[in-house]
Amino acid sequence: MHARQPATPPRVANAAAARARFGPRFDALVAALGRSDDLADLAVAALDGRPDADALIRRALAGDDDPSLPDPLRALVARASATPAWVDPRRLARARQLFRRAGPIGGLVLAFRSLVGGYVSRAGNKPLVFSGRLQEQARRRLSETGRFVNAVIADDGLRPGGDGLTITLHVRLIHARIRRLLSRHPRWDHAAWGLPINQHDMLATIHLFSIVFTDGLRRMGVPVSESEADDYLHLWRRVGEVIGVEPDLMPRSARAAREDLEFIYMTNGEPDDDSRALTRALLELPRAEATTALERRLAEGRVRVMEALTRRLLGDATADGLGLSATPLDRLLPWTAPMVFSTHLLRRVAPRLDDLSLRMSAAYWRHAESAGLDAPATFPLPDLLLGAPR
C-alpha cells in the first residue's frame, strides 16, 4: 500500500505536477503555509490593547532591558539581535558592494520586478490588500520599502542597534499585528487563503528582495556573478531570520532559491483582480501625482515606460496576467541591457567613473527613501485594517 499524501491547501495550484517536480521540497514549502511566527505573535499579544505599545517597542529595540517591558517582546528582540555563527562579514560586504554598484538600475528592479512580483500571488497579496496601504499611500509605501532596503544594506545595518535590524523587527511586529487582526476579520477567507503572512509567504518575500532582485539586475544588463548572487542571498538570509523566517526553511544558495521560485510560480495560480489593482496603483503614480497640464503629459510617457519595464522584468505571460498592454517600447528595452553591461565593464577599468557612479547611486537611494515621506518612517503597529479584497 502507498502512504496517503497529506491534503494540499486549496491555494496551491498545480499541486500534482509540483509534487512530482519538487519532491520533498514540495512538502516542506506546503507545510510552511500552515506555520506562523510564534515569537512575534506572543509579543504582539502581550502588547494588545496597550496605548503605549509603540513606545514599548521603541524602548525594547533601543536596548532597554527594563523588566517592566513585556517578557515576550524582550525575548523576541534578544533572539533576533544575536548574530548567528554562520554570518560571514566578508560576504555581507560583497553583497553591499553589488547593491551600491547597481545604483538606479537596482531601484527599477526593486520596484518593477520585486514589488510587482509580490502582487502576483492571489493568496499572498491579500494581507496587503486588507491593509489598504498600497492603494491609499502608494508613494509612501514605495519610499518605506527604499528606507528598509537601504537600512539593511548599510555597513552597520544588521548589527545590534543598527537601523536595518531595528526596522526589520518593526516590520516583523507589524506582520504579527496584521496576522492577529486578519485572524478575526469576517472577510478573511481561511479556506481559500489559509494562514495570513505564514512562513511560506515570508520566505517568498525574502526571495523577492534577494534572488528575484539579482536575477533582475542581470536581465537589465548589470553583470552579477553566481558567487555575488550567493553573497546577496547570504545577506538576505540574515534579514529573513530577523524578520521571522525559520532558519531551516531558508535556502543556502542562489540555485536553491531559484528552485523555490519555480515552485512558487507554479503553485501561485493566475493573478487576480487584486493583483491587477495593486499593480495599477504602483504604475499609475505619475498620473496620480501630476497637477499641471505639462506634468500630466509627461506622466503619460512615464507610465508607458514603467509598464514596459515591468513587462521586461517579469516576462510577457505575467505582464499579460496583470493586464499590462504591449507597446513598441517592449521591443526597444532589450537593447538597453548591452549598454548597461558595457558601462559596468568600463567602470572596472576607470576608477573615476566608478567613483562618480557610486556617488550618484548613494544620492539616488537617499532620494528614493525620502520622496513621498512628509514625516520620517516610524513603522507603527496598525490599529485597524482599511481595505478589502475585490
Side-chain angles (χ1 to χ4, degrees), residues 238-321:
R238 172 60 181 141
V239 178
E241 287 198 11
V242 175
I243 213 167
V245 180
E246 296 166 355
D248 290 342
L249 198 59
M250 285 288 296
R252 305 295 192 264
S253 69
R255 179 178 179 180
R258 289 191 193 97
E259 291 182 357
D260 279 359
L261 280 179
E262 289 181 31
F263 171 89
I264 292 167
Y265 294 151
M266 180 181 286
T267 58
N268 266 344
E270 296 297 320
D272 63 359
D273 287 343
D274 286 322
S275 304
R276 289 180 280 274
L278 290 165
T279 301
R280 294 309 327 169
L282 178 63
L283 298 184
E284 292 187 1
L285 269 176
R287 288 186 182 130
E289 296 177 343
T291 57
T292 67
L294 176 59
E295 288 176 349
R296 284 189 286 272
R297 286 195 296 273
L298 294 174
E300 293 304 313
R302 291 177 61 195
V303 170
R304 286 194 291 272
V305 170
M306 290 160 66
E307 290 173 338
L309 276 169
T310 303
R311 179 173 289 275
R312 168 69 178 155
L313 286 164
L314 291 180
D316 290 336
T318 300
D320 290 343

Side-chain angles (χ1 to χ4, degrees), residues 92-106:
L92 299 185
R94 291 195 293 267
R96 294 177 182 119
Q97 289 171 358
L98 171 62
F99 178 82
R100 291 162 183 162
R101 177 162 54 84
I105 297 292

